[in-house]
Structure formats: C-alpha cells, structure tokens
Amino acid sequence: MKSVSSTSYRRTLYLFIFLALTFLAQVAWWIIFQMRTAADTSRLVKASLEERRDLALKMINDIYQEHYVNLQIMLSLADTADPLSEIMLPAAFSGLTGAGAETEYSDSLYLEMKAGERRYLVFINRDYPVSLLGREAHLLFNAAVTGLRGRPNWLTVSEIGVDAAGLESLERGSSRHTRMLIMEGGFFVFLTALGMYLIYASLRRKRLAEEEQTLFAHSITHELKIPITSIGLYLEALKRRGFDSVMAAELFPKMRDDLKRLNGLIDNILQIKRLSEKKRGKTPIMSLSEDLKAFASRAAGPIKAAGGILETDLNPGITIAAESQEIAWVWETLVDNSLKYARSPEMKISIKLHREGNKAVITISDNGPGIDPGLKGKLFEKFARGESERTRTIPGSGLGLYIAREYVRRNGGEISLENRPEGGCMGTMKFGVKS
C-alpha cells in the first residue's frame, strides 16, 4: 500500500512539475515576444517618422521647384517695360523685385533668377512649409534661415526634422508599455510560482498524512500486540499448569500491568480523537492554583509508592482561561514520565507555580537521567521514543507528549521540555493570567 501511494504521489508531482514548467515557459515566451514587439514598434515608428520627413521634404522642394519654373516662364513672357506688374506670385513666394548690384537682403530668404537679360530676386515665403506641415504633428520646420539660397529646392534635413520631444514622448509610451508587460508577466509568474508552491505543499501534506496514517497504524498495531501477546502467553501458561496459586500470584500482577498499558494506549488514541474535534466556543475559567494543588495531592500517593518525594511551591489566587480536564491530563503525563524514567531510590519530583508578569508559569521537574540526546527536537512528535536501551525497555506509545503539546496549544499556552543543569528533566508551561 505504501509503495503504491508513493508511486502515485511521485507521478502526480512529476505531472504537476511538467505542467508548471510548460506554463512558465509559455509566460516567459509571451513576455519576450511582447518586449520584442514593443521594441520593433518603437523602431518602426521612428523609421516611419523619418520616412514621412523625407517625403515632406521632397514634396515641398518639388512645389518650390515647380513654382520657380512657372515664375521664370511668366517673367519671360511679361511686358518688358513693367514686367513685375503682371506677375501673380504663388503662395510659395512672398515678393519679387529687380536685382541691384549694390542691394543686400541679409535678413531675408531669397533666390536670384534671370529672365532674358533681366535679373530678379524672389523672396521665399518662410511660413509656407509650416502650412504644408500642419498635419504632421511630429515634424518641425526651422524658419531661422536667411540669406541667398543657391537653388529653388532649398530645403534640407536641417530645415525639416523630426520633433525630438514628440519622439521622446512616443518612446516613453513604448517604455511604459514594455514595463506594463514586464509587470503583468512578472505577476503571472508570481501567481504561477505561488500556485506551484501551494499545490506542492498540498501534495506534500497529503503524502505526509498518508505516511503518518501508515506509521500510526503500524505503531498502534505493534503497541497493541505486545500486551495482548503477553497476556495470551500468561493465560496459556496458567492453562497448561492448571490453576497454580504460586504462578497465578506471579503472573496476575504482570497481566494487570499489561492491561494497564493497553488501557493507557487506548486512552491516548481517544485523546488524539478529541484533538480532532472542532474548536470549543467559549473557554472556561480555571482556578489554576486550586486545581494544581488538588492534582499535587492526588499525585503524592503514586510518587510515594514509587519511593519518591514530592515537593510543591504553588502561588495562590492564579486563574487562567483553559479547560481544566485537558490541562490536568498534561500534568499527569509529565508526572507519569518522571515516574517511569526518573525511578531511583532518591527520586524527587517538584511541582511549582508562580507568576511572571501576565504569565502563569508551571514547572514539573525531576532528578532523573534527563532527556535522551536522540530525542532533541523530536520530543513532541508522534511516536517519539529514545534510542537508548533504557528508553526502549520502558513501556510507552510515544503519544503522550504530542497530546500534551496540543492540549496546551488549544488552551492558548506554550510548553517546553529540557534538561536541568543539575540533572534531571523539567517541563515548563506558560498561560496568560486572568487575575
């Protein structure tokens, strides 16, 4: 069963990883594609503006050239007495005058032309290109040119250029688009990674739960079989030899101990079932000082019977919000562990209660051998048992401390277990004080 479950888990995990990686690769490709598209679009826009500038430059120069040629024809056909009176200038030119050798128009933009033996100066309308470029929002005309021009198609890229501010605005828009794509892609990657983690965590929890169930079943089966098998052997021995009072006196205490062990294991299983119940509504108020005093009185008998001494130091008047039955079960577990592991002719168990600020602190300690080094960090796990020979020979299911921790947590407290510097073990519980 375990092998089949593990195989199914691995197959599910591999399929999930494959699908997740495929999706991530798709998202990465989409981000790269969109970034390349944005970069290509920016280059195309820039190239388009430059192409539109070149077309505008050629168009305006062609218009000037055509008007210049027409003007030259009109001047050739005009009355030689007063040729300027018959000339209707096109919009490309702002004026026409006869050329004098001594005249300079350094503040104007003009052309020199001949019609027969006559020379003329044609003044260029510098606002004309602006009117033609009115619809080209990203093209600018530099009208700061003056002086004599050597040709009628006088415009160059120095007079018409791409609007740098407009181009920068387009590039900023492209950059914003790219950043938006990166952010969206990154968000999708984050969601995918989060989904991968959540699904992986869910699969892992499922696998761990299955393994825990298997371990629980194996451990419980093992723990149940030991006392049952022992009792069966004792009964078989009594059956074979008849009712021998001497043997019965010897075997009955052993069977009683096995039954007690069996009953304790079943009790632990029932306690675990209680932990799975829904959370209580309102937590009752517990008189911690009085309940702990009553518990110490009950525990004194078994401790004395085991040859030990019980010491108490309980501050009065401390109350907490907790379920007294569950907290008492924790105390019983700690004292029972001390009785099992600290058994010696000079065994001492100490129960103390005091207040630290707004915390009630309970300590249950002994002078035994302390915690097995192999249990460091595992004390409160299910079925945690030490590896030493002494630990293995002591009956126990390894569930007590796990249940104790869960009960303490359910009641809003915290618990720890550690070795004392002077020897022995000490369990510490802390709860918020109500009064």
Side-chain angles (χ1 to χ4, degrees):
M1 178 66 70
K2 183 177 180 180
S3 177
V4 174
S5 176
S6 299
T7 302
S8 175
Y9 167 77
R10 284 196 298 271
R11 287 177 179 173
T12 304
L13 182 61
Y14 293 155
L15 177 61
F16 165 71
I17 292 175
F18 171 75
L19 293 176
L21 291 178
T22 301
F23 180 77
L24 284 176
Q26 182 71 19
V27 172
W29 175 86
W30 179 80
I31 294 174
I32 294 173
F33 172 78
Q34 294 294 338
M35 291 178 63
R36 287 181 175 177
T37 301
D40 291 342
T41 301
S42 178
R43 286 194 296 270
L44 287 174
V45 168
K46 188 175 181 179
S48 174
L49 288 175
E50 291 176 351
E51 183 178 356
R52 284 158 60 184
R53 178 201 61 193
D54 295 339
L55 289 174
L57 183 66
K58 183 177 185 305
M59 177 195 70
I60 298 173
N61 276 332
D62 288 346
I63 291 174
Y64 272 114
Q65 178 71 33
E66 180 181 356
H67 288 333
Y68 181 83
V69 171
N70 291 336
L71 179 60
Q72 196 169 34
I73 293 173
M74 285 190 290
L75 288 172
S76 299
L77 299 176
D79 184 359
T80 56
D82 190 9
L84 299 183
S85 62
E86 302 178 6
I87 301 301
M88 181 69 70
L89 289 176
F93 303 117
S94 60
L96 177 67
T97 184
E102 72 287 351
T103 306
E104 289 188 5
Y105 300 93
S106 59
D107 60 341
S108 301
L109 181 64
Y110 59 96
L111 295 167
E112 184 177 350
M113 61 182 299
K114 291 183 179 181
E117 297 298 327
R118 298 187 294 272
R119 294 174 55 249
Y120 300 94
L121 297 182
V122 184
F123 296 92
I124 298 174
N125 185 353
R126 286 181 289 186
D127 295 330
Y128 186 64
V130 177
S131 63
L132 294 179
L133 294 175
R135 295 182 180 180
E136 294 291 345
H138 298 293
L139 295 181
L140 292 179
F141 175 68
N142 180 12
V145 289
T146 58
L148 177 66
R149 310 299 285 188
R151 52 189 179 82
N153 53 341
W154 58 280
L155 286 173
T156 64
V157 292
S158 62
E159 283 80 36
I160 295 182
V162 177
D163 182 9
L167 184 59
E168 184 180 353
S169 176
L170 290 173
E171 290 178 348
R172 282 200 304 269
S174 176
S175 178
R176 283 196 301 270
H177 181 68
T178 302
R179 287 198 301 270
M180 182 185 71
L181 292 174
I182 293 175
M183 291 177 64
E184 289 179 353
F187 181 68
F188 281 127
V189 170
F190 168 75
L191 288 181
T192 303
L194 179 62
M196 289 175 62
Y197 170 76
L198 293 177
I199 295 175
Y200 169 75
S202 177
L203 290 173
R204 186 171 182 272
R205 282 196 301 270
K206 183 176 182 296
R207 180 177 65 85
L208 292 177
E210 291 175 352
E211 291 180 353
E212 191 174 81
Q213 290 175 359
T214 303
L215 175 62
F216 183 82
H218 288 174
S219 300
I220 291 298
T221 302
H222 176 73
E223 291 296 328
L224 287 173
K225 286 179 67 176
I226 291 176
I228 291 175
T229 302
S230 178
I231 293 173
L233 291 174
Y234 294 151
L235 292 174
E236 186 67 25
L238 289 174
K239 179 180 177 183
R240 288 183 178 180
R241 296 195 180 186
F243 190 78
D244 186 338
S245 59
V246 176
M247 179 175 288
E250 180 182 349
L251 295 182
F252 283 164
K254 294 181 179 179
M255 286 191 287
R256 185 179 62 247
D257 291 342
D258 285 335
L259 286 172
K260 183 178 179 182
R261 177 180 180 183
L262 189 59
N263 184 66
L265 179 60
I266 294 173
D267 184 55
N268 283 343
I269 296 173
L270 293 176
Q271 298 295 339
I272 290 179
K273 181 179 181 300
R274 288 190 64 189
L275 290 174
S276 64
E277 295 175 354
K278 292 183 178 179
K279 190 175 180 181
R280 299 182 301 270
K282 185 177 180 180
T283 305
I285 301 299
M286 172 184 177
S287 178
L288 188 59
S289 299
E290 295 300 323
D291 284 15
L292 191 54
K293 181 179 179 181
F295 169 76
S297 179
R298 294 195 305 271
I303 293 173
K304 184 177 180 181
I309 299 173
L310 175 63
E311 297 178 347
T312 61
D313 181 10
L314 309 176
N315 287 3
I318 299 177
T319 60
I320 62 173
E323 177 63 54
S324 59
Q325 182 180 355
E326 295 179 354
I327 302 303
W329 193 95
V330 177
W331 299 337
E332 290 173 4
T333 300
L334 294 178
V335 170
D336 183 62
N337 282 345
S338 293
L339 289 174
K340 287 191 295 186
Y341 295 102
R343 189 180 296 274
S344 68
E346 300 178 353
M347 179 177 62
K348 290 183 181 181
I349 296 178
S350 172
I351 301 177
K352 297 181 179 181
L353 169 63
H354 65 280
R355 182 167 178 168
E356 291 181 358
N358 62 344
K359 294 285 186 180
V361 181
I362 308 163
T363 59
I364 298 178
S365 58
D366 60 53
N367 61 343
I371 301 169
D372 193 322
L375 281 177
K376 293 291 186 181
K378 302 178 182 178
L379 285 171
F380 296 102
E381 294 180 4
K382 290 180 181 177
F383 307 110
R385 298 295 305 277
E387 298 297 327
S388 66
E389 183 65 28
R390 175 184 60 84
T391 303
R392 286 198 298 266
T393 57
I394 296 176
S397 64
L399 293 173
L401 289 178
Y402 165 76
I403 298 171
R405 181 192 64 179
E406 296 305 308
Y407 274 162
V408 170
R409 286 181 174 178
R410 270 166 60 109
N411 288 278
E414 54 188 79
I415 184 172
S416 62
L417 202 62
E418 57 189 356
N419 287 327
R420 300 166 64 204
E422 63 270 27
C425 176
M426 180 173 68
T428 303
M429 287 159 281
K430 295 183 179 180
F431 297 92
V433 176
K434 285 296 180 183
S435 64

